[in-house]
Amino acid sequence: MFVDQVNLSIQTKLFFQSLVNESTQGVSVADLDGNYVFVNPSFCQMMGYSEAELLTMTVFDMKAPKQDHASFEQTKTVKENLIVQVLLQKKDGTIFMSEVIGRNIEVDGQAYVLGTVQDISERIATEQALLNSEKRKSLIMKVANDGVWDWHLDSNLLEFDERYYTMAGYEKDEFPHSFQEWEKRVHEDDIVHAKNSFQSYLAGTSSNFDIEFRFLRKDNTYMWIQGKGKVVERDNNGTPLRFIGIHTDISVQKEHEEKILHQAHFDSLTFLPNRFLSLDRLTIACNEAKRNNELVALLFLDLDDFKKVNDTLGHEVGDQLLIDAAYRLRHVVRSVDTVGRLGGDEFIIVLGGLKSAKEAQPIIENLLHQFRDMFVINSRELLLTTSIGIAIYPHDAKDSSELLRNADSAMYAAKECGRNTYSYYTRQMNECAQRRLAIEEQLHGALARNEFSVHYQPKIDLVSAQVMGAEALLRWHNPTLGNVPPDEFISVAEHTGVIIQLGQFILQEALKQTAIWQQTYHCDFQIAVNLSPRQFRDLQLIDIIKAILKDVEVMPASLELEITEGVLLSGHSHVKQTLEHITNLGIKIAMDDFGTGYSSLSYLREYPFDVLKIDRSFINEMTSSYKDKALINAVVSMSHALNLKVVAEGIETEKQLQELKSLHCDYGQGYLFSKPLTVIEMTKLLSNNADITYTFDI
Ligand code: C2E
Ligand code: MG
Ligand code: MG
């Protein structure tokens, strides 16, 4: 052994021996030819040889193939330590990287080379892995929109990497380095949340730090940032000292999210809040009102005759009309109020924070006013009115869904009041709504159950005092609801579409009966049948009428179809075409209920009417109101000038009859002569008066 060979005192030798033997590093001493003269146990273990084996070997035997000997030669000459990394080969053939600190030593005048050897293969592997992961990280950072921040909590100094600056559009160092400066750029709506997140994470209340906030770019636009971070340094008390993390630009992702959110909450046609969001806002408004002791007015709007516009002018015009209507609604209310589209032509307006219900009144009137102006679509002028139902929270309902139901009922009531008006909710309306629902239920399948029949109200020629025909009127007897008047069920049937089958039924029944009466009693017997707007829009209408007339062998001239102004309001050419088609077939057309609604005399010129029926409300008033009488006079004169016959509806008194006669009204209908009759009663009436002279004294 080397220590033995060197001439040192025994204690010194033993001391050195124990030092090197306990060292975890490999220690070897070789002579200048490279022969080992000393190896410690760590070196033996490292190389896999025994001490005895090594002492017969040289340093060159330990080197991996292709390793040169330059470093050994160099060590012989230099005074200071020479540190080299050398690949060594173990006894079992495995090669590993070592770090050798070599220097020459002189013992008793003889030169040796001392080598301290360390296996650094693990260290290198770790370094490599670290390098790789760093590389990967920086690659990810470059590809992703990430910027790194490093917050020294004790000094409040914030440092950022370059990517952070580019992300926010700033030049390096143009950016604040203190937290106070940085937070100024966080959106005011997000700063509280951001600070709370920092604090609760740093205080250990939350284990994860993950926030989203808006941050001001240099160009004064905001970007959405997602922040994640971790405390990497704490003092002895565990107080965080350093907080490091990344910020990712998630603006694009947020934009998508917002788009999706918008689609889920806003109507894509009018951009108004959709049903979901509107009702949500209504609930919030009600809750707020409850807290503040205030009121909410809910306005339920339905555009009048919108379906007709859609059906006759097409969906594109309908859509444009909805967009324009939404615009008008939006501009009537305060910016804090919600205007939402529930669907179709139904809108709601939520007026919150009211001290009294009266505050809603000017807005409601303004709304109706707004709809007085024509809508201009594709250079066509259209009049579109709206019916408004109003319910007040908490007077009319205990919660938002009840409020909505009641405002809806009030809207129906407004429609029944003749449309283009508003109606406040009353408790009776609820009953009406329930009644409507019951009617709708019972109407389903009622025709197949034979619950319908036709009654006939005689029409009298006021000059000859003869029954010249009758108006066919539907009657419905339902086992649950009893007798339901047409004024109640026709509108529901219109709404559900059942009116199409009902219309066919009455045409068939009335014309079949007309054929019998014409053959038996009166060859000129005229039958008038009411046509609802919905039927009028049915493209098969004309073919059906033609088929029935042919089937029952009744001349088209014996049929008179009564339509109301509602049909004409849309002003579409289709209406005119159908009316002309009907006229060309020889069928007569009557304008029913003249004097209600708009009663535009221009319609009489524009469309091919044969008959005008003055509404019974006028007849009712004519004996007491000079104005009504004058109006009837004008209408009769004008109709005659246009070659139209005039029918007065609802004649109940002798006085009315006399006045109508003096005004040269052509025909009359009313309780004075007869109520609507069953087939049997009508047949009896006709048979009792073979000469068809009416029995009443007229
Ligand atoms: P309308 O076409 O104006 O029919 C006249 C209504 O006035 C009938 O009511 C009739 O019974 C009533 N009336 C007749 N004379 C008098 C009178 O002297 N005094 C009073 N107070 N009323 C009188 P009804 O049968 O209840 O029908 C109401 C409405 O229902 C009709 O008004 C019509 O618009 C509709 N309707 C009835 N049947 C049908 C039908 O088959 N199809 C369609 N689409 N609508 C129908
Ligand atoms: Mg009628
Ligand atoms: Mg009428």
Side-chain angles (χ1 to χ4, degrees):
M1 287 289 278
F2 163 74
V3 179
D4 293 329
Q5 288 163 358
V6 182
N7 202 9
L8 293 173
S9 75
I10 197 81
Q11 283 87 352
T12 317
K13 275 186 201 170
L14 282 172
F15 175 67
F16 284 160
Q17 182 105 39
S18 69
L19 262 186
V20 289
N21 281 355
E22 275 170 30
S23 168
T24 53
Q25 298 201 332
V27 178
S28 69
V29 180
D31 63 19
L32 295 185
D33 295 327
N35 300 305
Y36 284 118
V37 293
F38 170 77
V39 286
N40 74 343
S42 290
F43 186 66
C44 298
Q45 201 184 1
M46 198 183 291
M47 300 311 298
Y49 292 102
S50 68
E51 183 184 354
E53 281 173 319
L54 281 173
L55 291 177
T56 61
M57 299 171 84
T58 67
V59 287
F60 313 117
D61 297 329
M62 297 303 115
K63 296 209 170 172
K66 293 187 187 159
Q67 289 287 295
D68 62 33
H69 303 162
S71 57
F72 184 76
E73 294 304 323
Q74 218 181 335
T75 316
K76 289 199 271 186
T77 54
V78 294
K79 284 273 176 286
E80 62 278 4
N81 284 343
L82 188 74
I83 304 170
V84 285
Q85 289 190 347
V86 198
L87 278 175
L88 300 180
Q89 188 165 28
K90 298 184 181 191
K91 187 180 179 183
D92 65 7
T94 43
I95 292 171
F96 67 96
M97 182 58 86
S98 70
E99 192 172 78
V100 182
I101 305 171
R103 63 169 303 168
N104 66 51
I105 51 169
E106 210 181 286
V107 182
D108 295 338
Q110 190 152 355
Y112 295 94
V113 173
L114 169 71
T116 313
V117 189
Q118 198 179 359
D119 181 346
I120 59 163
S121 50
E122 245 178 57
R123 195 177 88 200
I124 285 186
T126 316
E127 275 174 7
Q128 194 57 48
L130 214 66
L131 200 70
N132 284 347
S133 84
E134 279 302 319
K135 265 190 192 158
R136 212 168 30 236
K137 221 156 73 194
S138 85
L139 199 70
I140 291 170
M141 296 270 193
K142 269 183 201 138
V143 176
N145 290 338
D146 289 343
V148 177
W149 48 268
D150 186 351
W151 186 5
H152 300 267
L153 297 162
D154 42 357
S155 61
N156 240 352
L157 181 79
L158 254 176
E159 287 181 304
F160 305 97
D161 77 338
E162 242 169 89
R163 173 75 201 139
Y164 206 106
Y165 295 97
T166 11
M167 197 165 86
Y170 294 91
E171 291 299 320
K172 197 171 176 185
D173 292 332
E174 213 180 344
F175 205 74
H177 281 276
S178 75
F179 181 77
Q180 282 76 9
E181 276 302 310
W182 176 84
E183 72 171 336
K184 279 185 195 161
R185 284 162 174 81
V186 176
H187 196 286
E188 57 176 355
D189 292 346
D190 302 336
I191 188 69
V192 176
H193 170 66
K195 276 181 156 177
N196 286 346
S197 304
F198 284 136
Q199 273 154 15
S200 72
Y201 173 73
L202 293 176
T205 326
S206 61
S207 55
N208 267 332
F209 178 71
D210 191 343
I211 55 166
E212 287 180 5
F213 58 90
R214 279 157 290 179
F215 190 77
L216 192 65
R217 294 190 187 100
K218 193 180 173 184
D219 66 3
N220 261 337
T221 60
Y222 278 98
M223 63 174 178
W224 269 102
I225 280 187
Q226 182 186 44
K228 288 185 182 203
K230 206 173 172 55
V231 167
V232 291
E233 233 180 277
R234 292 175 188 274
D235 66 10
N236 292 341
N237 301 322
T239 312
L241 293 176
R242 210 166 151 201
F243 190 13
I244 293 184
I246 53 165
H247 277 174
T248 313
D249 182 353
I250 53 162
S251 305
V252 175
Q253 188 184 326
K254 273 280 172 190
E255 225 171 81
H256 286 308
E257 268 175 30
E258 264 161 36
K259 230 186 216 163
I260 291 168
L261 213 66
H262 195 273
Q263 277 165 359
H265 288 141
F266 289 85
D267 169 45
S268 56
L269 183 69
T270 60
F271 299 117
L272 291 180
N274 63 12
R275 185 180 189 90
F276 176 80
L277 183 60
S278 312
L279 299 185
D280 191 48
R281 296 228 182 125
L282 175 64
T283 308
I284 292 170
C286 288
N287 292 342
E288 236 168 58
K290 194 174 188 176
R291 267 198 310 278
N292 305 336
N293 230 351
E294 290 169 338
L295 309 175
V296 177
L298 175 63
L299 279 48
F300 196 118
L301 295 97
D302 187 290
L303 304 180
D304 299 328
D305 294 317
F306 177 74
K307 276 199 187 69
K308 215 158 26 197
V309 176
N310 230 2
D311 289 357
T312 52
L313 302 186
H315 285 270
E316 268 172 39
V317 174
D319 283 356
Q320 196 52 51
L321 212 51
L322 285 172
I323 293 169
D324 291 2
Y327 181 85
R328 290 192 190 184
L329 297 181
R330 190 61 266 174
H331 284 80
V332 171
V333 299
R334 306 166 298 181
S335 60
V336 289
D337 299 324
T338 295
V339 176
R341 182 179 173 210
L342 294 187
D345 59 346
E346 288 179 349
F347 296 87
I348 60 165
I349 295 179
V350 183
L351 305 173
L354 306 181
K355 295 278 176 242
S356 103
K358 276 193 210 129
E359 287 173 46
Q361 192 62 26
I363 298 177
I364 295 161
E365 275 167 21
N366 200 5
L367 272 171
L368 289 176
H369 187 81
Q370 285 292 318
F371 278 74
R372 249 172 244 158
D373 292 339
M374 289 279 192
F375 286 85
V376 182
I377 289 161
N378 301 341
S379 63
R380 176 198 294 272
E381 286 200 335
L382 292 166
L383 185 69
L384 184 77
T385 55
T386 177
S387 299
I388 309 172
I390 306 129
I392 309 287
Y393 176 86
H395 294 172
D396 300 330
K398 60 180 182 316
D399 57 29
S400 57
S401 48
E402 194 186 356
L403 191 68
L404 184 73
R405 260 200 322 275
N406 293 346
D408 186 18
S409 301
M411 188 276 294
Y412 262 95
K415 290 250 183 225
E416 272 160 23
C417 288
R419 302 166 177 221
N420 190 20
T421 187
Y422 61 86
S423 207
Y424 279 91
Y425 169 78
T426 64
R427 302 229 176 266
Q428 288 155 331
M429 285 176 189
N430 226 343
E431 290 156 24
C432 288
Q434 274 163 14
R435 167 91 176 160
R436 242 190 342 262
L437 212 72
I439 288 175
E440 196 177 318
E441 257 171 40
Q442 292 299 322
L443 207 52
H444 186 74
L447 193 61
R449 295 192 299 267
N450 286 324
E451 291 175 12
F452 287 97
S453 60
V454 184
H455 280 200
Y456 299 88
Q457 184 173 38
K459 272 165 78 176
I460 314 301
D461 181 329
L462 298 187
V463 178
S464 68
Q466 287 184 331
V467 174
M468 45 75 67
E471 178 177 3
L473 295 159
L474 259 180
R475 291 293 174 260
W476 180 27
H477 180 83
N478 176 264
T480 314
L481 301 171
N483 288 328
V484 186
D487 281 334
E488 269 198 285
F489 71 78
I490 294 287
S491 63
V492 182
E494 267 263 320
H495 192 70
T496 60
V498 174
I499 194 74
I500 303 284
Q501 288 99 50
L502 283 180
Q504 279 186 34
F505 166 78
I506 191 161
L507 270 168
Q508 196 132 28
E509 284 296 303
L511 286 171
K512 198 172 73 191
Q513 201 50 54
T514 300
I516 297 169
W517 285 332
Q518 281 186 348
Q519 281 155 23
T520 323
Y521 308 109
H522 186 350
C523 60
D524 287 331
F525 189 87
Q526 295 279 313
I527 188 77
V529 177
N530 294 285
L531 214 58
S532 87
R534 177 89 177 239
Q535 276 176 282
F536 199 81
R537 298 197 301 273
D538 179 15
L539 296 176
Q540 292 175 326
L541 176 75
I542 294 188
D543 288 341
I544 289 169
I545 296 175
K546 274 205 301 203
I548 299 174
L549 285 171
K550 199 171 164 210
D551 185 41
V552 299
E553 294 180 4
V554 167
M555 298 295 289
S558 307
L559 175 63
E560 187 177 299
L561 296 175
E562 296 188 2
I563 62 167
T564 50
E565 266 177 332
V567 173
L568 311 173
L569 269 179
S570 66
H572 188 36
S573 59
H574 162 79
V575 176
K576 201 167 179 179
Q577 272 172 20
T578 312
L579 284 174
E580 274 164 5
H581 208 136
I582 293 173
T583 308
N584 291 342
L585 286 175
I587 298 168
K588 296 196 184 92
I589 301 167
M591 177 179 270
D592 202 356
D593 301 344
F594 191 83
T596 59
Y598 293 97
S599 304
S600 167
L601 285 169
S602 67
Y603 288 144
L604 300 179
R605 249 188 344 198
E606 202 178 328
Y607 299 101
F609 285 106
D610 302 283
V611 179
L612 183 139
K613 294 188 84 173
I614 304 173
D615 192 70
R616 64 173 183 266
S617 56
F618 268 85
I619 309 302
N620 209 11
E621 296 289 315
M622 70 177 296
T623 47
S624 55
S625 155
Y626 171 76
K627 267 192 191 165
D628 279 355
K629 189 176 171 187
L631 245 159
I632 293 171
N633 192 7
V635 169
V636 174
S637 306
M638 173 135 175
S639 301
H640 285 167
L642 291 168
N643 226 358
L644 267 70
K645 297 282 186 201
V646 182
V647 182
E649 287 185 303
I651 305 174
E652 291 181 350
T653 67
E654 190 66 31
K655 201 167 172 210
Q656 288 165 351
L657 173 65
Q658 292 314 328
E659 286 195 2
L660 284 163
K661 276 178 78 174
S662 72
L663 293 176
H664 307 293
C665 181
D666 303 284
Y667 309 113
Q669 203 182 325
Y671 294 168
L672 176 66
F673 313 115
S674 169
K675 292 202 168 187
L677 306 171
T678 61
V679 174
I680 297 171
E681 287 167 342
M682 185 72 191
T683 306
K684 206 165 148 199
L685 178 79
L686 291 173
S687 65
N688 282 349
N689 300 276
D691 60 352
I692 314 299
T693 304
Y694 197 67
T695 45
F696 283 86
D697 181 22
I698 53 173

